[in-house]
Amino acid sequence: MTALLRYQTALLFRSQRWLPPFVLHAALLAVSVRGGQPVLDSLGYAAAALLPVAAWLTRVCAEGEPAPARACAAAAAGPARAHLACLLVALATAAALGVLAALVVTLISDPASADGRTRVDRPSAAAAGLLAALVCAAVGTAVGALTARPVLRSTGRAVPALLLGVLLALVLTGSPANAAVTGLVTGSRSGAVPFPLLPPAGAALLAAAAAAVACALASRRSA
């Protein structure tokens, strides 16, 4: 698996297909986050901005490998393991991007509640923001896994499904990403830093289930 992860990482970054999702993330942060804003609000916006980027990165990893190379990797390690390596690289890349963004946002934001009356502990806020970023990275990876090859092979269907999945993941009540982002924004009103347990658990289960479905289909459709 280590060799597969190295191969998929090299494939992602040498292809430069990672660049558009990274530019999108920077643009979303530039629009939604400003220096001096309440830290919990800014961290919530930063986490939300990561979700579509994670979904896009997952699609890039799943679709970026040339067919002959994909066949060779599947023959050597098995189609399920080869596809799992794609998803893990996408998740790790999105998570690293989210961690970096959360740290920068924490440093430039005002450690206070939305009304400015309550001070917010900056390290605690950073920890909550990192947790929310990881939740959104996992949910975004799940959305990308379910809207890319081998689940959906047609680009005409996959791209609208990805956009719809991202939207639903952000706005639906009960979504781990929605809960994590809403918790930060709501906590900003009182200055209380949230550390909910259900969103991370739900995001992990969702990502694992999506990966299982995608890997099972990879094995079945290559047979």
Side-chain angles (χ1 to χ4, degrees), residues 7-97:
Y7 166 67
Q8 291 294 340
T9 302
L11 188 66
L12 172 64
F13 286 98
R14 288 179 182 177
S15 70
Q16 297 186 354
R17 296 183 69 190
W18 56 269
L19 187 57
F22 275 45
V23 171
L24 172 64
H25 189 241
L28 291 174
L29 289 180
V31 169
S32 59
V33 176
R34 294 286 188 277
Q37 288 181 338
V39 63
L40 293 177
D41 282 333
S42 296
L43 287 170
Y45 300 148
L50 183 64
L51 200 152
V53 175
W56 193 354
L57 280 171
T58 304
R59 179 170 174 77
V60 166
C61 289
E63 302 284 347
E65 191 175 13
R70 186 186 309 131
C72 290
R81 286 169 59 85
H83 193 68
L84 179 60
C86 295
L87 302 181
L88 290 176
V89 167
L91 175 60
T93 304
L97 189 60

Side-chain angles (χ1 to χ4, degrees), residues 55 58-59 62 83 87 140-152 207 210-211 214:
T58 304
R59 179 170 174 77
H83 193 68
L87 302 181
T141 301
V143 171
L146 295 176
T147 56
R149 185 196 63 82
V151 181
L152 294 178

